[in-house]
PDB file of all heavy atoms in Angstrom:
ATOM      1  N   GLN A   1       0.849  -1.187   0.004  1.00 85.00           N
ATOM      2  CA  GLN A   1       0.000  -0.005  -0.003  1.00 85.00           C
ATOM      3  C   GLN A   1       0.891   1.251   0.010  1.00 85.00           C
ATOM      4  O   GLN A   1       1.751   1.389   0.842  1.00 85.00           O
ATOM      5  CB  GLN A   1      -0.888   0.004   1.250  1.00 85.00           C
ATOM      6  CG  GLN A   1      -1.836   1.207   1.292  1.00 85.00           C
ATOM      7  CD  GLN A   1      -2.719   1.129   2.538  1.00 85.00           C
ATOM      8  OE1 GLN A   1      -2.701   0.147   3.281  1.00 85.00           O
ATOM      9  NE2 GLN A   1      -3.488   2.172   2.775  1.00 85.00           N
ATOM     10  N   VAL A   2       0.631   2.105  -0.971  1.00 90.00           N
ATOM     11  CA  VAL A   2       1.423   3.327  -1.085  1.00 90.00           C
ATOM     12  C   VAL A   2       1.046   4.317   0.007  1.00 90.00           C
ATOM     13  O   VAL A   2      -0.136   4.565   0.286  1.00 90.00           O
ATOM     14  CB  VAL A   2       1.220   3.969  -2.454  1.00 90.00           C
ATOM     15  CG1 VAL A   2       1.868   5.331  -2.508  1.00 90.00           C
ATOM     16  CG2 VAL A   2       1.784   3.067  -3.535  1.00 90.00           C
ATOM     17  N   GLN A   3       2.057   4.891   0.644  1.00 95.00           N
ATOM     18  CA  GLN A   3       1.819   5.917   1.647  1.00 95.00           C
ATOM     19  C   GLN A   3       2.788   7.055   1.410  1.00 95.00           C
ATOM     20  O   GLN A   3       3.968   6.837   1.128  1.00 95.00           O
ATOM     21  CB  GLN A   3       1.992   5.345   3.044  1.00 95.00           C
ATOM     22  CG  GLN A   3       0.857   4.506   3.556  1.00 95.00           C
ATOM     23  CD  GLN A   3       0.949   4.237   5.032  1.00 95.00           C
ATOM     24  OE1 GLN A   3       2.012   3.973   5.556  1.00 95.00           O
ATOM     25  NE2 GLN A   3      -0.190   4.334   5.726  1.00 95.00           N
ATOM     26  N   LEU A   4       2.283   8.268   1.541  1.00 97.00           N
ATOM     27  CA  LEU A   4       3.093   9.478   1.468  1.00 97.00           C
ATOM     28  C   LEU A   4       2.836  10.238   2.766  1.00 97.00           C
ATOM     29  O   LEU A   4       1.675  10.515   3.097  1.00 97.00           O
ATOM     30  CB  LEU A   4       2.721  10.322   0.268  1.00 97.00           C
ATOM     31  CG  LEU A   4       2.846   9.651  -1.095  1.00 97.00           C
ATOM     32  CD1 LEU A   4       2.278  10.554  -2.177  1.00 97.00           C
ATOM     33  CD2 LEU A   4       4.287   9.310  -1.422  1.00 97.00           C
ATOM     34  N   VAL A   5       3.904  10.587   3.471  1.00 97.00           N
ATOM     35  CA  VAL A   5       3.744  11.271   4.730  1.00 97.00           C
ATOM     36  C   VAL A   5       4.584  12.530   4.708  1.00 97.00           C
ATOM     37  O   VAL A   5       5.801  12.470   4.587  1.00 97.00           O
ATOM     38  CB  VAL A   5       4.167  10.372   5.909  1.00 97.00           C
ATOM     39  CG1 VAL A   5       4.010  11.129   7.230  1.00 97.00           C
ATOM     40  CG2 VAL A   5       3.343   9.109   5.933  1.00 97.00           C
ATOM     41  N   GLU A   6       3.896  13.676   4.800  1.00 97.00           N
ATOM     42  CA  GLU A   6       4.584  14.966   4.819  1.00 97.00           C
ATOM     43  C   GLU A   6       4.952  15.371   6.233  1.00 97.00           C
ATOM     44  O   GLU A   6       4.254  15.014   7.188  1.00 97.00           O
ATOM     45  CB  GLU A   6       3.709  16.054   4.212  1.00 97.00           C
ATOM     46  CG  GLU A   6       3.244  15.830   2.760  1.00 97.00           C
ATOM     47  CD  GLU A   6       1.849  15.254   2.705  1.00 97.00           C
ATOM     48  OE1 GLU A   6       1.405  14.624   3.701  1.00 97.00           O
ATOM     49  OE2 GLU A   6       1.170  15.427   1.657  1.00 97.00           O
ATOM     50  N   SER A   7       5.992  16.167   6.331  1.00 96.00           N
ATOM     51  CA  SER A   7       6.395  16.735   7.636  1.00 96.00           C
ATOM     52  C   SER A   7       7.106  18.044   7.350  1.00 96.00           C
ATOM     53  O   SER A   7       7.502  18.330   6.205  1.00 96.00           O
ATOM     54  CB  SER A   7       7.274  15.780   8.396  1.00 96.00           C
ATOM     55  OG  SER A   7       8.451  15.502   7.677  1.00 96.00           O
ATOM     56  N   GLY A   8       7.275  18.822   8.401  1.00 97.00           N
ATOM     57  CA  GLY A   8       8.039  20.044   8.301  1.00 97.00           C
ATOM     58  C   GLY A   8       7.256  21.321   8.225  1.00 97.00           C
ATOM     59  O   GLY A   8       7.833  22.416   8.198  1.00 97.00           O
ATOM     60  N   GLY A   9       5.941  21.224   8.178  1.00 95.00           N
ATOM     61  CA  GLY A   9       5.144  22.429   8.126  1.00 95.00           C
ATOM     62  C   GLY A   9       5.205  23.168   9.452  1.00 95.00           C
ATOM     63  O   GLY A   9       5.740  22.651  10.450  1.00 95.00           O
ATOM     64  N   GLY A  10       4.663  24.363   9.485  1.00 97.00           N
ATOM     65  CA  GLY A  10       4.627  25.145  10.711  1.00 97.00           C
ATOM     66  C   GLY A  10       4.361  26.569  10.429  1.00 97.00           C
ATOM     67  O   GLY A  10       3.897  26.937   9.354  1.00 97.00           O
ATOM     68  N   SER A  11       4.664  27.378  11.415  1.00 97.00           N
ATOM     69  CA  SER A  11       4.411  28.829  11.314  1.00 97.00           C
ATOM     70  C   SER A  11       5.740  29.549  11.243  1.00 97.00           C
ATOM     71  O   SER A  11       6.695  29.230  11.950  1.00 97.00           O
ATOM     72  CB  SER A  11       3.616  29.311  12.531  1.00 97.00           C
ATOM     73  OG  SER A  11       2.337  28.698  12.571  1.00 97.00           O
ATOM     74  N   VAL A  12       5.789  30.560  10.408  1.00 98.00           N
ATOM     75  CA  VAL A  12       7.014  31.323  10.212  1.00 98.00           C
ATOM     76  C   VAL A  12       6.620  32.764   9.832  1.00 98.00           C
ATOM     77  O   VAL A  12       5.548  32.984   9.294  1.00 98.00           O
ATOM     78  CB  VAL A  12       7.903  30.669   9.126  1.00 98.00           C
ATOM     79  CG1 VAL A  12       7.239  30.701   7.775  1.00 98.00           C
ATOM     80  CG2 VAL A  12       9.290  31.278   9.095  1.00 98.00           C
ATOM     81  N   GLN A  13       7.516  33.687  10.132  1.00 98.00           N
ATOM     82  CA  GLN A  13       7.274  35.054   9.703  1.00 98.00           C
ATOM     83  C   GLN A  13       7.672  35.282   8.279  1.00 98.00           C
ATOM     84  O   GLN A  13       8.511  34.535   7.725  1.00 98.00           O
ATOM     85  CB  GLN A  13       8.029  36.024  10.631  1.00 98.00           C
ATOM     86  CG  GLN A  13       7.480  36.083  12.057  1.00 98.00           C
ATOM     87  CD  GLN A  13       8.054  37.213  12.828  1.00 98.00           C
ATOM     88  OE1 GLN A  13       9.224  37.581  12.667  1.00 98.00           O
ATOM     89  NE2 GLN A  13       7.255  37.813  13.712  1.00 98.00           N
ATOM     90  N   ALA A  14       7.083  36.261   7.666  1.00 98.00           N
ATOM     91  CA  ALA A  14       7.412  36.604   6.276  1.00 98.00           C
ATOM     92  C   ALA A  14       8.923  36.813   6.135  1.00 98.00           C
ATOM     93  O   ALA A  14       9.559  37.410   7.005  1.00 98.00           O
ATOM     94  CB  ALA A  14       6.652  37.861   5.860  1.00 98.00           C
ATOM     95  N   GLY A  15       9.444  36.292   5.075  1.00 97.00           N
ATOM     96  CA  GLY A  15      10.891  36.351   4.830  1.00 97.00           C
ATOM     97  C   GLY A  15      11.635  35.135   5.348  1.00 97.00           C
ATOM     98  O   GLY A  15      12.804  34.947   5.051  1.00 97.00           O
ATOM     99  N   GLY A  16      10.964  34.319   6.128  1.00 98.00           N
ATOM    100  CA  GLY A  16      11.581  33.153   6.718  1.00 98.00           C
ATOM    101  C   GLY A  16      11.606  31.969   5.775  1.00 98.00           C
ATOM    102  O   GLY A  16      11.205  32.069   4.623  1.00 98.00           O
ATOM    103  N   SER A  17      12.086  30.855   6.312  1.00 98.00           N
ATOM    104  CA  SER A  17      12.254  29.630   5.527  1.00 98.00           C
ATOM    105  C   SER A  17      11.666  28.416   6.259  1.00 98.00           C
ATOM    106  O   SER A  17      11.580  28.402   7.484  1.00 98.00           O
ATOM    107  CB  SER A  17      13.756  29.357   5.253  1.00 98.00           C
ATOM    108  OG  SER A  17      14.333  30.436   4.564  1.00 98.00           O
ATOM    109  N   LEU A  18      11.236  27.451   5.476  1.00 98.00           N
ATOM    110  CA  LEU A  18      10.800  26.175   5.985  1.00 98.00           C
ATOM    111  C   LEU A  18      11.241  25.092   5.035  1.00 98.00           C
ATOM    112  O   LEU A  18      11.373  25.353   3.811  1.00 98.00           O
ATOM    113  CB  LEU A  18       9.276  26.121   6.127  1.00 98.00           C
ATOM    114  CG  LEU A  18       8.631  26.778   7.353  1.00 98.00           C
ATOM    115  CD1 LEU A  18       7.096  26.716   7.211  1.00 98.00           C
ATOM    116  CD2 LEU A  18       9.079  26.118   8.640  1.00 98.00           C
ATOM    117  N   ARG A  19      11.422  23.909   5.563  1.00 98.00           N
ATOM    118  CA  ARG A  19      11.752  22.749   4.709  1.00 98.00           C
ATOM    119  C   ARG A  19      10.742  21.660   4.943  1.00 98.00           C
ATOM    120  O   ARG A  19      10.577  21.210   6.062  1.00 98.00           O
ATOM    121  CB  ARG A  19      13.153  22.215   5.020  1.00 98.00           C
ATOM    122  CG  ARG A  19      13.643  21.168   4.045  1.00 98.00           C
ATOM    123  CD  ARG A  19      15.077  20.744   4.367  1.00 98.00           C
ATOM    124  NE  ARG A  19      15.624  19.836   3.387  1.00 98.00           N
ATOM    125  CZ  ARG A  19      16.292  20.212   2.313  1.00 98.00           C
ATOM    126  NH1 ARG A  19      16.521  21.515   2.096  1.00 98.00           N
ATOM    127  NH2 ARG A  19      16.789  19.314   1.459  1.00 98.00           N
ATOM    128  N   LEU A  20      10.052  21.291   3.883  1.00 98.00           N
ATOM    129  CA  LEU A  20       9.074  20.211   3.937  1.00 98.00           C
ATOM    130  C   LEU A  20       9.715  18.927   3.454  1.00 98.00           C
ATOM    131  O   LEU A  20      10.548  18.950   2.539  1.00 98.00           O
ATOM    132  CB  LEU A  20       7.859  20.525   3.075  1.00 98.00           C
ATOM    133  CG  LEU A  20       7.165  21.873   3.347  1.00 98.00           C
ATOM    134  CD1 LEU A  20       5.932  22.010   2.391  1.00 98.00           C
ATOM    135  CD2 LEU A  20       6.760  22.027   4.778  1.00 98.00           C
ATOM    136  N   SER A  21       9.304  17.823   4.043  1.00 97.00           N
ATOM    137  CA  SER A  21       9.768  16.518   3.609  1.00 97.00           C
ATOM    138  C   SER A  21       8.582  15.596   3.364  1.00 97.00           C
ATOM    139  O   SER A  21       7.547  15.720   4.038  1.00 97.00           O
ATOM    140  CB  SER A  21      10.675  15.890   4.653  1.00 97.00           C
ATOM    141  OG  SER A  21      11.872  16.594   4.776  1.00 97.00           O
ATOM    142  N   CYS A  22       8.751  14.709   2.420  1.00 97.00           N
ATOM    143  CA  CYS A  22       7.728  13.698   2.103  1.00 97.00           C
ATOM    144  C   CYS A  22       8.411  12.344   2.060  1.00 97.00           C
ATOM    145  O   CYS A  22       9.324  12.130   1.236  1.00 97.00           O
ATOM    146  CB  CYS A  22       7.073  14.012   0.778  1.00 97.00           C
ATOM    147  SG  CYS A  22       5.934  12.752   0.163  1.00 97.00           S
ATOM    148  N   ALA A  23       7.966  11.465   2.907  1.00 95.00           N
ATOM    149  CA  ALA A  23       8.492  10.103   2.954  1.00 95.00           C
ATOM    150  C   ALA A  23       7.499   9.185   2.255  1.00 95.00           C
ATOM    151  O   ALA A  23       6.328   9.126   2.644  1.00 95.00           O
ATOM    152  CB  ALA A  23       8.718   9.676   4.393  1.00 95.00           C
ATOM    153  N   ALA A  24       8.005   8.461   1.253  1.00 94.00           N
ATOM    154  CA  ALA A  24       7.129   7.575   0.475  1.00 94.00           C
ATOM    155  C   ALA A  24       7.460   6.125   0.800  1.00 94.00           C
ATOM    156  O   ALA A  24       8.605   5.777   1.011  1.00 94.00           O
ATOM    157  CB  ALA A  24       7.348   7.852  -1.004  1.00 94.00           C
ATOM    158  N   SER A  25       6.452   5.311   0.771  1.00 93.00           N
ATOM    159  CA  SER A  25       6.652   3.867   0.998  1.00 93.00           C
ATOM    160  C   SER A  25       5.584   3.078   0.251  1.00 93.00           C
ATOM    161  O   SER A  25       4.524   3.621  -0.097  1.00 93.00           O
ATOM    162  CB  SER A  25       6.585   3.546   2.500  1.00 93.00           C
ATOM    163  OG  SER A  25       5.315   3.854   3.034  1.00 93.00           O
ATOM    164  N   GLY A  26       5.883   1.815   0.013  1.00 91.00           N
ATOM    165  CA  GLY A  26       4.893   0.952  -0.631  1.00 91.00           C
ATOM    166  C   GLY A  26       4.893   0.959  -2.124  1.00 91.00           C
ATOM    167  O   GLY A  26       3.967   0.377  -2.725  1.00 91.00           O
ATOM    168  N   GLY A  27       5.852   1.620  -2.774  1.00 86.00           N
ATOM    169  CA  GLY A  27       5.887   1.643  -4.239  1.00 86.00           C
ATOM    170  C   GLY A  27       7.303   1.786  -4.719  1.00 86.00           C
ATOM    171  O   GLY A  27       8.245   1.932  -3.948  1.00 86.00           O
ATOM    172  N   THR A  28       7.440   1.707  -6.054  1.00 84.00           N
ATOM    173  CA  THR A  28       8.770   1.829  -6.681  1.00 84.00           C
ATOM    174  C   THR A  28       8.996   3.289  -7.019  1.00 84.00           C
ATOM    175  O   THR A  28       8.974   3.675  -8.199  1.00 84.00           O
ATOM    176  CB  THR A  28       8.844   0.938  -7.939  1.00 84.00           C
ATOM    177  OG1 THR A  28       8.342  -0.349  -7.621  1.00 84.00           O
ATOM    178  CG2 THR A  28      10.256   0.818  -8.436  1.00 84.00           C
ATOM    179  N   PHE A  29       9.260   4.095  -6.030  1.00 86.00           N
ATOM    180  CA  PHE A  29       9.267   5.523  -6.198  1.00 86.00           C
ATOM    181  C   PHE A  29      10.462   6.013  -7.007  1.00 86.00           C
ATOM    182  O   PHE A  29      10.442   7.142  -7.510  1.00 86.00           O
ATOM    183  CB  PHE A  29       9.213   6.235  -4.833  1.00 86.00           C
ATOM    184  CG  PHE A  29       7.889   6.006  -4.166  1.00 86.00           C
ATOM    185  CD1 PHE A  29       7.736   4.994  -3.207  1.00 86.00           C
ATOM    186  CD2 PHE A  29       6.778   6.738  -4.505  1.00 86.00           C
ATOM    187  CE1 PHE A  29       6.514   4.752  -2.627  1.00 86.00           C
ATOM    188  CE2 PHE A  29       5.564   6.521  -3.898  1.00 86.00           C
ATOM    189  CZ  PHE A  29       5.419   5.521  -2.943  1.00 86.00           C
ATOM    190  N   SER A  30      11.465   5.216  -7.175  1.00 84.00           N
ATOM    191  CA  SER A  30      12.621   5.640  -7.935  1.00 84.00           C
ATOM    192  C   SER A  30      12.259   5.844  -9.407  1.00 84.00           C
ATOM    193  O   SER A  30      13.019   6.479 -10.159  1.00 84.00           O
ATOM    194  CB  SER A  30      13.757   4.621  -7.804  1.00 84.00           C
ATOM    195  OG  SER A  30      13.311   3.381  -8.286  1.00 84.00           O
ATOM    196  N   THR A  31      11.104   5.355  -9.827  1.00 85.00           N
ATOM    197  CA  THR A  31      10.674   5.534 -11.218  1.00 85.00           C
ATOM    198  C   THR A  31       9.495   6.480 -11.379  1.00 85.00           C
ATOM    199  O   THR A  31       8.991   6.663 -12.464  1.00 85.00           O
ATOM    200  CB  THR A  31      10.295   4.164 -11.833  1.00 85.00           C
ATOM    201  OG1 THR A  31       9.165   3.622 -11.126  1.00 85.00           O
ATOM    202  CG2 THR A  31      11.449   3.181 -11.743  1.00 85.00           C
ATOM    203  N   TYR A  32       9.038   7.049 -10.269  1.00 91.00           N
ATOM    204  CA  TYR A  32       7.837   7.892 -10.323  1.00 91.00           C
ATOM    205  C   TYR A  32       8.160   9.394 -10.460  1.00 91.00           C
ATOM    206  O   TYR A  32       9.261   9.815 -10.120  1.00 91.00           O
ATOM    207  CB  TYR A  32       7.042   7.712  -9.041  1.00 91.00           C
ATOM    208  CG  TYR A  32       6.467   6.342  -8.823  1.00 91.00           C
ATOM    209  CD1 TYR A  32       5.824   6.051  -7.595  1.00 91.00           C
ATOM    210  CD2 TYR A  32       6.554   5.311  -9.751  1.00 91.00           C
ATOM    211  CE1 TYR A  32       5.284   4.794  -7.341  1.00 91.00           C
ATOM    212  CE2 TYR A  32       6.021   4.076  -9.510  1.00 91.00           C
ATOM    213  CZ  TYR A  32       5.387   3.803  -8.289  1.00 91.00           C
ATOM    214  OH  TYR A  32       4.861   2.596  -8.027  1.00 91.00           O
ATOM    215  N   ALA A  33       7.199  10.133 -10.921  1.00 94.00           N
ATOM    216  CA  ALA A  33       7.246  11.577 -10.776  1.00 94.00           C
ATOM    217  C   ALA A  33       6.613  11.885  -9.417  1.00 94.00           C
ATOM    218  O   ALA A  33       5.615  11.278  -9.025  1.00 94.00           O
ATOM    219  CB  ALA A  33       6.456  12.261 -11.859  1.00 94.00           C
ATOM    220  N   MET A  34       7.216  12.832  -8.748  1.00 95.00           N
ATOM    221  CA  MET A  34       6.689  13.227  -7.441  1.00 95.00           C
ATOM    222  C   MET A  34       6.649  14.759  -7.394  1.00 95.00           C
ATOM    223  O   MET A  34       7.313  15.438  -8.189  1.00 95.00           O
ATOM    224  CB  MET A  34       7.560  12.699  -6.342  1.00 95.00           C
ATOM    225  CG  MET A  34       7.583  11.170  -6.278  1.00 95.00           C
ATOM    226  SD  MET A  34       8.550  10.510  -4.881  1.00 95.00           S
ATOM    227  CE  MET A  34       7.496  10.962  -3.490  1.00 95.00           C
ATOM    228  N   GLY A  35       5.879  15.286  -6.510  1.00 97.00           N
ATOM    229  CA  GLY A  35       5.791  16.721  -6.456  1.00 97.00           C
ATOM    230  C   GLY A  35       5.095  17.254  -5.250  1.00 97.00           C
ATOM    231  O   GLY A  35       4.522  16.517  -4.432  1.00 97.00           O
ATOM    232  N   TRP A  36       5.145  18.567  -5.145  1.00 98.00           N
ATOM    233  CA  TRP A  36       4.510  19.326  -4.077  1.00 98.00           C
ATOM    234  C   TRP A  36       3.408  20.194  -4.654  1.00 98.00           C
ATOM    235  O   TRP A  36       3.605  20.864  -5.669  1.00 98.00           O
ATOM    236  CB  TRP A  36       5.528  20.195  -3.345  1.00 98.00           C
ATOM    237  CG  TRP A  36       6.463  19.408  -2.495  1.00 98.00           C
ATOM    238  CD1 TRP A  36       7.720  18.995  -2.822  1.00 98.00           C
ATOM    239  CD2 TRP A  36       6.210  18.911  -1.170  1.00 98.00           C
ATOM    240  NE1 TRP A  36       8.250  18.276  -1.789  1.00 98.00           N
ATOM    241  CE2 TRP A  36       7.372  18.218  -0.775  1.00 98.00           C
ATOM    242  CE3 TRP A  36       5.144  19.019  -0.283  1.00 98.00           C
ATOM    243  CZ2 TRP A  36       7.477  17.624   0.478  1.00 98.00           C
ATOM    244  CZ3 TRP A  36       5.243  18.415   0.949  1.00 98.00           C
ATOM    245  CH2 TRP A  36       6.418  17.734   1.340  1.00 98.00           C
ATOM    246  N   PHE A  37       2.290  20.197  -3.972  1.00 98.00           N
ATOM    247  CA  PHE A  37       1.131  20.967  -4.342  1.00 98.00           C
ATOM    248  C   PHE A  37       0.664  21.729  -3.122  1.00 98.00           C
ATOM    249  O   PHE A  37       1.024  21.386  -1.995  1.00 98.00           O
ATOM    250  CB  PHE A  37       0.030  20.064  -4.883  1.00 98.00           C
ATOM    251  CG  PHE A  37       0.441  19.245  -6.100  1.00 98.00           C
ATOM    252  CD1 PHE A  37       1.259  18.170  -5.978  1.00 98.00           C
ATOM    253  CD2 PHE A  37       0.011  19.620  -7.366  1.00 98.00           C
ATOM    254  CE1 PHE A  37       1.695  17.447  -7.077  1.00 98.00           C
ATOM    255  CE2 PHE A  37       0.399  18.910  -8.477  1.00 98.00           C
ATOM    256  CZ  PHE A  37       1.242  17.817  -8.332  1.00 98.00           C
ATOM    257  N   ARG A  38      -0.159  22.720  -3.333  1.00 98.00           N
ATOM    258  CA  ARG A  38      -0.694  23.427  -2.172  1.00 98.00           C
ATOM    259  C   ARG A  38      -2.098  23.886  -2.457  1.00 98.00           C
ATOM    260  O   ARG A  38      -2.519  24.058  -3.606  1.00 98.00           O
ATOM    261  CB  ARG A  38       0.190  24.624  -1.804  1.00 98.00           C
ATOM    262  CG  ARG A  38       0.098  25.799  -2.746  1.00 98.00           C
ATOM    263  CD  ARG A  38       1.054  26.892  -2.300  1.00 98.00           C
ATOM    264  NE  ARG A  38       0.805  28.149  -3.004  1.00 98.00           N
ATOM    265  CZ  ARG A  38       1.523  29.244  -2.811  1.00 98.00           C
ATOM    266  NH1 ARG A  38       2.554  29.247  -1.988  1.00 98.00           N
ATOM    267  NH2 ARG A  38       1.201  30.370  -3.499  1.00 98.00           N
ATOM    268  N   GLN A  39      -2.813  24.086  -1.359  1.00 97.00           N
ATOM    269  CA  GLN A  39      -4.187  24.572  -1.473  1.00 97.00           C
ATOM    270  C   GLN A  39      -4.473  25.536  -0.327  1.00 97.00           C
ATOM    271  O   GLN A  39      -4.317  25.177   0.848  1.00 97.00           O
ATOM    272  CB  GLN A  39      -5.215  23.434  -1.478  1.00 97.00           C
ATOM    273  CG  GLN A  39      -6.619  23.876  -1.740  1.00 97.00           C
ATOM    274  CD  GLN A  39      -7.526  22.719  -2.087  1.00 97.00           C
ATOM    275  OE1 GLN A  39      -7.280  21.582  -1.744  1.00 97.00           O
ATOM    276  NE2 GLN A  39      -8.604  23.011  -2.800  1.00 97.00           N
ATOM    277  N   SER A  40      -4.890  26.754  -0.695  1.00 95.00           N
ATOM    278  CA  SER A  40      -5.284  27.737   0.284  1.00 95.00           C
ATOM    279  C   SER A  40      -6.803  27.748   0.376  1.00 95.00           C
ATOM    280  O   SER A  40      -7.488  27.331  -0.580  1.00 95.00           O
ATOM    281  CB  SER A  40      -4.790  29.124  -0.144  1.00 95.00           C
ATOM    282  OG  SER A  40      -3.394  29.102  -0.366  1.00 95.00           O
ATOM    283  N   PRO A  41      -7.333  28.204   1.504  1.00 90.00           N
ATOM    284  CA  PRO A  41      -8.793  28.255   1.635  1.00 90.00           C
ATOM    285  C   PRO A  41      -9.437  29.032   0.491  1.00 90.00           C
ATOM    286  O   PRO A  41      -9.002  30.141   0.182  1.00 90.00           O
ATOM    287  CB  PRO A  41      -8.972  28.972   2.994  1.00 90.00           C
ATOM    288  CG  PRO A  41      -7.746  28.651   3.745  1.00 90.00           C
ATOM    289  CD  PRO A  41      -6.644  28.657   2.716  1.00 90.00           C
ATOM    290  N   GLY A  42     -10.442  28.448  -0.091  1.00 92.00           N
ATOM    291  CA  GLY A  42     -11.166  29.093  -1.174  1.00 92.00           C
ATOM    292  C   GLY A  42     -10.497  29.082  -2.527  1.00 92.00           C
ATOM    293  O   GLY A  42     -11.000  29.626  -3.475  1.00 92.00           O
ATOM    294  N   LYS A  43      -9.342  28.448  -2.585  1.00 95.00           N
ATOM    295  CA  LYS A  43      -8.609  28.385  -3.861  1.00 95.00           C
ATOM    296  C   LYS A  43      -8.460  26.920  -4.302  1.00 95.00           C
ATOM    297  O   LYS A  43      -8.513  26.010  -3.525  1.00 95.00           O
ATOM    298  CB  LYS A  43      -7.242  29.032  -3.725  1.00 95.00           C
ATOM    299  CG  LYS A  43      -7.281  30.520  -3.439  1.00 95.00           C
ATOM    300  CD  LYS A  43      -5.923  31.108  -3.462  1.00 95.00           C
ATOM    301  CE  LYS A  43      -5.933  32.628  -3.268  1.00 95.00           C
ATOM    302  NZ  LYS A  43      -4.592  33.235  -3.298  1.00 95.00           N
TER     303      LYS A  43
END
């Protein structure tokens, strides 16, 4: 069973930095396309 687990989110002030990580398991990810997406309220 494929699982993707994100981590690293949080709160930061404008101008700051964050690093997100995604750990994948249950598939042959070395051959997949992977990516980051986002969704804001109402968008």
